[in-house]
C-alpha cells in the first residue's frame, strides 16, 4: 500500500466538481477556526471530512451554508462564488445544512418540521411528493407525523433532521455528525439510508464525522482535518487502509466531555 | 350591581389586558426581549385612530380610520425593529429592554404634544350604546371588545398554526439557528413579529378607547398586562389572554367587595402568589430553549 496521498495527488474520479472550496478562512472573533481550507466535492459522490473535536469541521460547514461569513477564500458552487451569501440564498441554490445535534423545532410536529424544511420552495405539489418520499425512507416519521419533534428519541430526531433537509430538494447536503450520540445499530441504519439517498435521489453529500470507520465505509472520498487545516485526503478505501487513519480510529477509546465514546487520537496526522 | 354585569365589564377590560399581554409574549418568544412600551403602543394606536376620526382632528369615517391606524402601528413596529433593534443585535437583552422603556416615555410625550394631555373620548360608533338581553342591559362597547378579541384570537390561532409564515414564526422562536439553516429569513421574521405586536396593540387601543376616555398615560396599564402575561406563563399565547381575563375579572369584584385601596392590589397579589406557587405561570410551556 502506498503512503497516504497528499493534496497534490490526482483528484477523485467521479462527476464534475459540484462544490469547490478554495483557501477558506473563518474566525470566531480573533480566533481563526479554519485556516485556508481547500477541497472539492464531486457531483453524485459522498465526501467525508474527518477530524477530532475542535478541528473546525462544523465551522467549515457553517461557512459553506452561509451561517458564518469567511474572512478569505472562495466557495465555488454551480459556477459562482457563494462565499458570504445569506443562508436563505444558499438554501435556494440547492445546498442544505443538516446541523450537528439535530436542532429540530421541538414544539412543532414532525409534519410541520418537514414543511419548514421546504420553506424556500413554492411548488406545493412537489413539496407534498417529497414529504411522501421522506416518509418512504423514514417510515417511523410517518407514524409520528403529528407528534411534537422534541418528544422523540435522538435517533428519530436525527432522521427528522435529515428528512427536513431533504425537503429543501437539495443538490448538495451538508451532514454534520449524524452518528452523534446514537447506538451502533442506529448509526448503521442511518448511514445505510444516507447511502440510499445518495444513490437513489442523486443527492451529493458532504459528510462530517468523528466516527471515521462508518463514514469511510459509505464515502467515496475523504479529507482529514486537524486544527483548522486539511492534512490528508484520498479515496475512502485508501484512507481506510492508511496507517495513520487506522491508528486514528483504532486508537484508545475515551469518554469525552460529551459523554460519548470517542476515538482518541494518539499521534498527530502524517 | 348585578354580578353578571360586573363579570362582563371585567371580561371586557381583561380582553384589552390580554391583547397587550399577547404583544409582550409575541415579542418575548421571538426575540427574548421584553417590549415595555407595549402599553404605549396601545395608547398610540388609540390616539392615531382618534386623530384620524374625531371631528376636531381629521374627521375621517371610523371604519376607514381603524385600518389606517392598524397599518401605521404595524409599520411602526416593523421599522422600529428593522432600523433600531436589528442594529443592537448581539447586545444584552437588557439594552433592548432599557430602550423600550425609554421609547415608552417618548411616545407618551409625543402623544401629549400632538393630542394634548386631557382625557379624550374616541368618537366610536360602538361607544355609549346598550344592548338588552331580556332584563339584562349590557354596553355594546363591552360586548364588542369581547367579540373582537375572540375573533382576533381565532385569526391569530389559524395564522400561527395553518399558514407557512405563521409556522415559520413559531419555528424561528423555537430554534433560531435551525431556522437560519432552513432558509427562513429570521431577521425579517423578527420585524414581522414586531409589526404584528404593533397591529394587535392598535386593535387593543381602539377597543379600550371605545369603552372610555384615554390620555397619554393610558399606556401605563401595560404594567397590569405585564402581570397578566406573567400569570399566564410568559411564553404562552393562550396563557397571555387567559392571564388578561383573570386580571380583568379580579378587578371589578375586588373593588366591589373589598375596601378601596386594598382592591387595586389584588391583581399584583395574584401575580405574587402565582410566582411563588407556579413560577412558570398557569399555562407554562415546559421546554428549554436551545442556545
Ligand atoms: N461559537 C464559538 N465561539 C468561539 N470559538 C468557537 C465557537 N465555535 C467553535 N469554536 C472554536 O473553533 C474551533 C473549531 O470548532 P468546530 O466546532 O468547527 O470544530 P468541530 O471540528 O466541528 O468539532 P466537534 O467535532 O467537536 O464538533 C474550535 O477550536 C472551537 O473551540
Ligand atoms: Mg462540530
Amino acid at each position: 500500500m502506498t503512503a497516504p496521498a497528499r493534496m497534490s495527488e490526482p483528484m477523485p474520479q467521479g462527476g464534475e466538481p459540484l462544490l469547490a472550496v478554495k483557501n477558506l478562512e473563518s474566525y470566531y472573533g480573533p480566533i481563526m477556526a479554519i485556516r485556508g481550507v481547500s477541497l472539492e466535492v464531486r457531483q453524485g459522490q459522498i465526501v467525508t471530512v474527518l477530524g477530532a473535536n475542535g478541528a473546525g469541521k462544523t465551522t467549515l460547514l457553517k461557512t459553506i451554508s452561509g451561517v458564518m461569513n469567511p474572512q478569505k477564500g472562495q466557495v465555488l458552487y454551480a459556477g459562482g462564488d457563494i462565499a458570504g451569501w445569506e443562508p436563505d440564498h444558499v438554501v435556494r441554490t440547492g445546498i442544505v445544512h443538516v446541523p450537528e445535534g439535530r436542532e429540530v423545532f421541538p414544539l412543532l410536529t414532525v409534519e410541520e418540521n418537514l414543511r419548514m424544511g421546504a420553506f424556500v420552495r413554492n411548488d406545493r405539489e412537489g413539496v407534498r411528493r417529497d414529504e411522501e418520499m421522506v416518509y418512504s425512507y423514514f417510515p417511523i416519521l410517518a407514524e409520528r407525523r403529528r407528534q411534537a419533534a422534541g418528544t422523540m428519541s435522538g435517533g428519530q430526531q436525527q432522521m427528522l433532521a435529515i428528512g427536513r433537509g431533504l425537503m429543501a430538494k437539495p443538490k448538495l447536503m451538508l451532514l454534520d455528525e449524524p452518528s452523534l450520540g446514537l447506538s451502533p445499530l442506529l448509526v448503521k441504519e442511518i448511514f445505510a439510508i444516507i447511502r440510499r439517498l445518495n444513490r437513489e435521489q442523486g443527492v451529493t453529500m458532504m459528510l462530517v464525522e468523528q466516527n471515521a470507520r462508518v463514514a469511510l465505509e459509505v464515502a467515496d472520498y475523504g479529507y482529514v482535518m486537524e486544527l483548522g487545516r486539511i492534512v490528508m485526503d484520498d479515496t475512502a478505501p485508501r484512507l481506510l487502509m492508511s496507517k495513520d487513519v487506522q491508528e486514528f480510529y483504532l486508537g484508545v477509546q475515551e469518554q469525552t466531555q460529551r459523554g460519548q465514546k470517542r476515538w482518541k487520537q494518539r499521534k498527530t496526522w502524517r | 350591581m348585578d354580578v353578571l354585569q360586573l363579570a362582563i365589564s371585567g371580561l371586557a377590560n381583561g380582553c384589552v389586558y390580554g391583547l397587550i399581554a399577547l404583544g409582550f409574549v409575541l415579542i418575548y418568544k421571538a426575540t427574548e426581549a421584553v417590549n415595555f412600551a407595549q402599553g404605549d403602543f396601545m395608547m398610540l394606536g388609540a390616539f392615531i385612530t382618534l386623530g384620524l376620526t374625531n371631528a376636531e382632528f381629521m374627521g375621517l369615517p371610523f371604519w376607514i380610520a381603524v385600518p389606517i391606524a392598524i397599518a401605521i402601528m404595524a409599520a411602526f413596529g416593523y421599522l422600529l425593529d428593522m432600523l433600531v433593534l436589528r442594529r443592537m443585535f448581539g447586545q444584552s437583552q437588557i439594552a433592548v429592554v432599557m430602550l423600550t422603556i425609554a421609547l415608552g416615555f417618548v411616545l407618551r410625550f409625543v402623544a401629549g404634544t400632538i393630542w394634548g394631555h386631557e382625557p379624550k373620548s374616541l368618537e366610536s360608533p360602538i361607544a355609549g350604546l346598550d344592548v338588552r338581553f331580556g332584563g339584562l342591559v349590557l354596553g355594546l362597547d363591552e360586548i364588542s371588545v369581547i367579540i373582537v378579541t375572540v375573533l382576533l384570537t381565532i385569526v391569530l390561532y389559524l395564522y400561527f398554526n395553518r399558514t407557512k409564515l405563521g409556522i415559520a414564526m413559531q419555528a424561528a422562536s423555537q430554534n433560531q439557528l435551525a431556522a437560519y439553516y432552513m432558509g427562513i429569513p429570521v431577521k425579517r421574521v423578527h420585524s414581522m413579529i414586531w409589526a404584528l405586536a404593533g397591529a394587535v396593540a392598535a386593535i387593543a387601543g381602539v377597543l379600550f378607547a371605545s369603552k372610555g376616555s384615554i390620555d397619554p398615560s393610558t399606556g401605563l396599564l401595560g404594567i397590569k398586562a405585564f402581570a397578566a402575561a406573567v400569570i399566564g406563563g410568559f411564553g404562552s399565547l393562550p396563557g397571555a389572554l387567559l392571564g388578561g381575563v383573570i386580571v380583568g375579572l379580579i378587578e371589578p369584584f375586588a373593588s366591589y367587595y373589598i375596601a378601596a385601596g386594598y382592591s387595586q392590589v389584588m391583581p399584583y397579589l395574584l401575580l405574587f402568589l402565582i410566582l411563588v406557587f407556579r413560577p412558570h405561570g398557569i399555562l407554562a410551556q415546559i421546554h428549554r430553549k436551545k442556545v
Side-chain angles (χ1 to χ4, degrees), chain B residues 4-194:
Chain B
L4 197 60
Q5 266 160 349
L6 274 185
I8 296 286
S9 93
L11 200 55
N13 267 330
C15 285
V16 174
Y17 300 153
L19 290 179
I20 302 172
L22 201 70
F24 277 119
V25 172
L26 273 175
I27 288 172
Y28 176 73
K29 277 182 67 143
T31 66
E32 296 194 336
V34 177
N35 174 24
F36 277 104
Q38 191 66 29
D40 302 292
F41 278 28
M42 179 214 70
M43 174 276 297
L44 190 62
F47 264 115
I48 290 173
T49 314
L50 188 149
L52 289 169
T53 194
N54 273 22
E56 61 182 302
F57 297 107
M58 291 177 66
L60 289 176
F62 181 78
W63 298 113
I64 292 176
V66 169
I68 294 177
I70 293 172
I72 290 175
M73 286 309 295
F76 178 71
Y78 193 98
L79 293 174
L80 177 69
D81 182 67
M82 190 176 90
L83 302 177
V84 182
L85 300 171
R86 203 178 285 179
R87 281 166 216 275
M88 297 174 70
F89 185 78
Q91 295 190 36
S92 78
Q93 301 303 346
I94 292 294
V96 178
V97 169
M98 296 300 284
L99 186 121
T100 64
I101 291 175
L103 179 66
F105 280 100
V106 172
L107 294 183
R108 266 166 260 154
F109 172 79
V110 169
T113 308
I114 301 177
W115 295 290
H117 290 274
E118 301 308 309
K120 284 207 160 50
S121 299
L122 176 63
E123 288 163 12
S124 156
I126 56 174
L129 296 176
D130 288 336
V131 278
R132 287 164 191 281
F133 293 106
L136 202 64
V137 184
L138 301 170
L140 178 63
D141 45 7
E142 289 176 342
I143 299 290
S144 308
V145 171
I146 296 167
I147 291 172
V148 171
T149 304
V150 170
L151 290 178
L152 186 61
T153 305
I154 293 170
V155 168
L156 286 176
Y157 176 84
L158 293 176
Y159 176 72
F160 278 113
N161 291 287
R162 296 279 189 277
T163 71
K164 182 168 151 186
L165 200 55
I167 297 173
M169 284 180 175
Q170 285 194 60
S173 78
Q174 288 172 25
N175 190 335
Q176 189 168 324
L177 191 62
Y180 267 117
Y181 286 128
M182 292 306 111
I184 296 171
V186 175
K187 289 175 191 159
R188 212 175 328 138
V189 164
H190 281 179
S191 299
M192 286 190 279
I193 285 175
W194 276 88

Side-chain angles (χ1 to χ4, degrees), chain A residues 26-29 31-34 50-62 68 100 176-177 180 208-210 225 227-228 257-258 262:
Chain A
S26 285
Y27 289 74
Y28 293 101
I31 306 160
M32 180 151 52
I34 54 173
L50 308 173
N53 282 118
K57 308 180 297 296
T58 297
T59 309
L60 173 62
L61 293 193
K62 281 182 174 173
M68 281 178 71
E100 186 177 353
D176 199 346
E177 298 207 42
L180 190 69
V208 154
E209 263 301 337
Q210 291 206 22
M225 242 184 131
L227 296 176
Q257 68 272 34
R258 291 203 205 158
R262 281 293 159 85

Side-chain angles (χ1 to χ4, degrees), chain A residues 88 97 103 107-108 119 121, chain B residues 164 171 174-175 178 181 183 185:
Chain A
D88 52 320
H97 185 156
E103 303 285 349
L107 299 175
L108 298 187
F119 183 83
R121 294 173 61 184
Chain B
K164 182 168 151 186
Q174 288 172 25
N175 190 335
Y181 286 128

